[in-house]
Amino acid sequence: MAPPAVEAAPAPAPPPPVWRAEGGLLLEVVALVGLAVTQPLLDVLGRSPDFFLFHRATPGQVVALLALVAVVPTAVLAGLGALTRLAGGRVRLVTHRVLVALLLAVLAVQVGREVTGLRGVPLLLAAGAAGVAGAAAHRRWRVPGRMLRAAAVGPPVFVALFVLVSPASAVVLPRADGTGAGVATGPGGHPPVVLLVLDELPLHSLLGPDGRIDATRFPHFAELAAGSTWYRNATGVSGWTPYALPAMLTGRYPARPDAPHYSRYPENLFTALGGLYDIHAQESITRLCPPSRCDQPVGPEQGLGVLVRSSADLLRQLVAPAESRVDPEAGYREPTAAEAGLDAAEPPPTDPKFRWDNLDDHQPARFTRFLADLRPAARPTLHFLHLLMPHPPWTYLPSGSRYEAPDDLPDDGAGWADLGRQRHLAQLGYTDRLIGETLRTLRATGLYDQALLVVTADHGVSFTTGSQGRGMDAIRAAPDEVAWVPTFVKEPGQRAGRVDDRNWEHVDLLPTVADLARVRLPWRVDGRSARQEARGRGDKRFYDRPGQPLTLPGGVPAPPVPAAPHPLVGTTVGDPPTGGTVQVANLDAFRAVDPAAGRLPALVWGTVPDRVPDGTLLAVSVNGRVGAVVPVVPPDPAGRRFAALLTDDALFRAGPNRLDVYQVAPDGTLRRLTPVG
């Protein structure tokens, strides 16, 4: 009897081809990079069309940036993984799992910062653990890998959403120019129009305790008010410039989250006046004046390079385990006249009080050009300037001298909000000098009496502790600081100042300018001219989000309660006993000071030993005279516990300067803390 036949065991399935395995690993990297890098970065940039408009980015440059964001990180990591295959399949798989763990950890940092209170090392440890756990699950089960490969469609989707539906899409796919040309009305010609829009300036900051402009601190704003109509109950429409400025220049409330671009707002001040006026426009973070109406030869750094560098900075903020405000606006910086090559634009005045002799060192170039253009002309001219002052970065003292400050210095929280207000007011003091120079130039050229002059701001900002900024918390806690803005309108030939407390909203700006310039607008506006009857309602419309108005109670805001300076400020300190040390980060800057260069070490920051309790007062003096008294606060993410702004230039002298810091006891006695670098 023959033995039974033995069936042969089935042959093992051949391993998948190398190309197929590599393809699967590549798809997983694509998905993870898309979730951890591409989506969060494009989300921030997509909501920030002003970032691209500020840098005058062309559609081609934006598309190139999109390609770099979507492709380069993936290509680098995928290429690294592919190279490891040269060392064998096992090394390749280990490398891939390490990449999976790292990318999951990066994603976990972002998620953890949103949904937990963890920051710093604890967040890093938690994110690292999440990354390792995710990589282990990826190794053990097939489902995570399959899900990642399916998610590889994400990056193309993220790019498509950016290009087609994000607010920044207008920069990539601009629509055709609109005209919206106005029509001349009434007899007579059109007066020159000078419109200066400042940025992030609350009316509160200008007021003294009597409710008037503080003429001692801001003499040129007071001078402006004395010769114009001050609309004291004027409010901005939004706390965000890309919504606020289009509302001002179109006369319409924000309806959609559109880019502040002429293709989205074809009916605006520039198109209305463009057929009747020559236009000299200096925009900052908008591009409402179409190329057919005006050019903008002076601008910030442009090109793909600055877009890439700024995007890289944003990405570092996004993946950092520390608290950070991810905001492209933080990178706005105007060039100086020297950087822009405008040295010969106009001989500067010789007034040393204004520091115009240092113009090329620290004056924004667009303001230089604005002043140079203020000349009588054969045709009526619109002179428009949106100047990012006193908007951060805060770097100016009232005298015009500049000072250095850490980029990550807080402006919210105990002690820091007060410091932010002080720095804002110091820069506002310098802005006051710019107003004075504008008035001087208008008078010197003969334009002052002829011109319609408007000076205002797009929105304010809150410095209320715990509600600093312009978001909903700030709007609820301090609407007077966020919404109410200074608004001055000097009509042609006006000599005497007056106050008008009508319910002015900034959608009234364009109809008022058009009315006074004898131009009829060919479109419907939400605002009303100041020459018309005041609106009946007393409340205000304010938009944190377009199309979703908030109602704020109206009325002229109450003047602020002035904070009394500490009695030690301005006094000369003797020789109190020494005890302890204080860490001063910029101590070296006091060893060689050159006031003539226009830069001073006016901001002092550092930390004190842990034994010094929070709330302890520190007196900071230069060359024996106290310039500021500030509290010790809990350490910020960089470990700093105090910072003091010394706004008086007279404290400093050329050469070495002595910096002293004193601990102020509750009974007023002082103890000197030895500064160390």
Side-chain angles (χ1 to χ4, degrees):
M1 182 171 168
V6 179
E7 294 185 3
V18 171
W19 63 267
R20 183 179 298 172
E22 281 296 328
L25 299 182
L26 174 61
L27 289 176
E28 294 178 5
V29 171
V30 168
L32 285 169
V33 173
L35 293 171
V37 177
T38 309
Q39 190 279 331
L41 190 54
L42 292 188
D43 177 62
V44 173
L45 293 176
R47 289 183 281 108
S48 307
D50 48 313
F51 166 74
F52 298 104
L53 296 173
F54 178 80
H55 290 293
R56 303 291 179 254
T58 65
Q61 290 168 345
V62 179
V63 170
L65 178 66
L66 290 176
L68 291 174
V69 169
V71 173
V72 170
T74 300
V76 170
L77 294 180
L80 175 65
L83 283 176
T84 59
R85 180 166 286 280
L86 299 176
R90 183 174 182 80
V91 173
R92 172 70 178 101
L93 286 176
V94 169
T95 303
H96 180 71
R97 287 169 185 145
V98 170
L99 291 177
V100 168
L102 289 175
L103 289 169
L104 287 174
V106 170
L107 183 59
V109 166
Q110 299 171 59
V111 174
R113 207 168 60 181
E114 290 294 325
V115 302
T116 74
L118 296 177
R119 297 295 183 270
V121 174
L123 178 56
L124 275 179
L125 293 175
V132 171
H138 174 269
R139 178 188 179 191
R140 182 171 182 178
W141 296 297
R142 293 183 178 181
V143 172
R146 290 173 178 171
M147 293 175 61
L148 284 178
R149 294 174 193 187
V153 300
V157 172
F158 304 147
V159 171
L161 291 174
F162 179 98
V163 171
L164 298 176
V165 300
S166 76
S169 63
V171 185
V172 186
L173 301 173
R175 298 168 185 163
D177 275 15
T179 54
V183 179
T185 62
H190 306 287
V193 177
V194 180
L195 177 51
L196 174 56
V197 179
L198 302 171
D199 203 296
E200 201 168 276
L201 172 52
L203 174 62
H204 253 223
S205 296
L206 290 175
L207 298 181
D210 60 356
R212 300 175 181 270
I213 304 297
D214 188 338
T216 301
R217 194 165 197 173
F218 307 112
H220 300 298
F221 276 105
E223 177 189 358
L224 174 63
S228 64
T229 302
W230 174 18
Y231 293 94
R232 195 166 51 173
N233 188 19
T235 48
V237 173
S238 175
W240 198 40
T241 301
Y243 301 154
L245 203 54
M248 296 166 68
L249 300 187
T250 66
R252 293 170 172 167
Y253 293 117
R256 299 179 305 276
D258 286 336
H261 191 268
Y262 59 84
S263 68
R264 297 302 200 235
Y265 299 96
E267 297 172 327
N268 62 58
L269 171 71
F270 305 115
T271 58
L273 270 59
L276 304 168
Y277 277 72
D278 289 337
I279 298 180
H280 296 168
Q282 298 286 329
E283 296 184 79
S284 291
I285 61 174
T286 60
R287 183 64 160 143
L288 294 170
C289 191
S292 59
R293 296 296 190 217
C294 58
D295 60 357
Q296 299 188 355
V298 179
E301 186 181 0
Q302 301 177 39
L304 183 60
V306 68
L307 299 182
V308 172
R309 290 196 302 274
S310 298
S311 299
D313 290 339
L314 288 175
L315 181 60
R316 281 194 289 271
Q317 295 178 58
L318 284 166
V319 302
E323 194 69 66
S324 64
R325 184 181 67 172
V326 181
D327 186 359
E329 189 175 308
Y332 295 162
R333 176 184 176 273
E334 298 290 355
T336 64
E339 292 169 339
L342 296 181
D343 303 84
E346 183 71 16
T350 57
D351 179 7
K353 296 179 182 178
F354 186 66
R355 289 188 161 272
W356 211 248
D357 53 332
N358 292 326
L359 178 68
D360 289 341
D361 293 334
H362 61 247
Q363 174 59 31
R366 68 177 65 250
F367 186 74
T368 306
R369 185 173 183 83
F370 173 71
L371 290 184
D373 283 341
L374 293 179
R375 299 291 182 269
R379 275 174 54 84
T381 304
L382 166 64
H383 303 273
F384 176 87
L385 173 64
H386 173 209
L387 187 65
L388 293 174
M389 293 285 278
H391 190 287
W394 297 310
T395 60
Y396 292 98
L397 297 179
S399 65
S401 291
R402 296 186 71 172
Y403 63 90
E404 301 294 333
D407 291 337
D408 60 342
L409 198 67
D411 58 5
D412 196 8
W416 300 113
D418 290 336
L419 176 67
R421 187 189 297 273
Q422 293 165 18
R423 296 179 67 193
H424 158 80
L425 290 173
Q427 189 140 303
L428 180 55
Y430 179 59
T431 307
D432 181 75
R433 292 178 176 267
L434 303 185
I435 296 297
E437 189 59 23
T438 301
L439 297 175
R440 187 203 68 79
T441 301
L442 288 170
R443 291 191 173 99
T445 60
L447 275 181
Y448 183 83
D449 286 334
Q450 306 171 31
L452 166 61
L453 170 64
V454 180
V455 178
T456 187
D458 56 353
H459 56 74
V461 64
S462 165
F463 291 96
T464 299
T465 301
S467 301
Q468 199 275 343
R470 295 169 277 139
M472 282 302 301
D473 289 345
I475 294 167
R476 292 190 181 101
D480 288 1
E481 293 184 75
V482 179
W484 272 259
V485 292
T487 300
F488 306 97
V489 178
K490 188 206 74 67
E491 299 184 23
Q494 183 175 352
R495 299 295 178 86
R498 67 186 187 92
V499 175
D500 189 326
D501 285 342
R502 71 175 58 222
N503 183 8
W504 173 293
E505 296 179 352
H506 256 347
V507 286
D508 300 339
L509 181 67
L510 175 63
T512 299
V513 170
D515 206 353
L516 295 173
R518 303 189 184 96
V519 174
R520 180 172 60 82
L521 299 173
W523 67 86
R524 182 194 61 79
V525 296
D526 297 321
R528 61 179 61 200
S529 168
R531 284 191 166 184
Q532 295 177 302
E533 183 181 353
R535 56 173 50 87
R537 60 178 172 80
D539 55 14
K540 301 286 190 175
R541 300 290 182 267
F542 198 81
Y543 291 76
D544 185 57
R545 297 175 181 272
Q548 302 177 26
L550 305 169
T551 301
L552 303 179
V556 177
V561 178
H566 194 280
L568 280 174
V569 174
T571 63
T572 300
V573 179
D575 190 20
T578 300
T581 62
V582 58
Q583 188 84 23
V584 177
N586 59 333
L587 185 60
D588 288 346
F590 287 83
R591 294 188 175 124
V593 177
D594 183 10
R599 289 182 177 271
L600 295 171
L603 187 70
V604 179
W605 68 93
T607 189
V608 293
D610 292 340
R611 60 178 176 77
V612 178
D614 295 341
T616 301
L617 294 181
L618 301 179
V620 180
S621 79
V622 178
N623 299 317
R625 192 155 64 91
V626 175
V629 177
V630 297
V632 173
V633 297
D636 72 346
R640 295 173 288 239
R641 297 189 67 198
F642 78 92
L645 183 65
L646 310 168
T647 58
D648 186 358
D649 292 46
L651 293 171
F652 300 90
R653 62 190 178 209
N657 284 245
R658 177 179 172 179
L659 175 70
D660 290 301
V661 180
Y662 305 92
Q663 183 173 333
V664 184
D667 61 0
T669 59
L670 303 180
R671 184 176 67 181
R672 183 174 183 272
L673 304 177
T674 303
V676 295

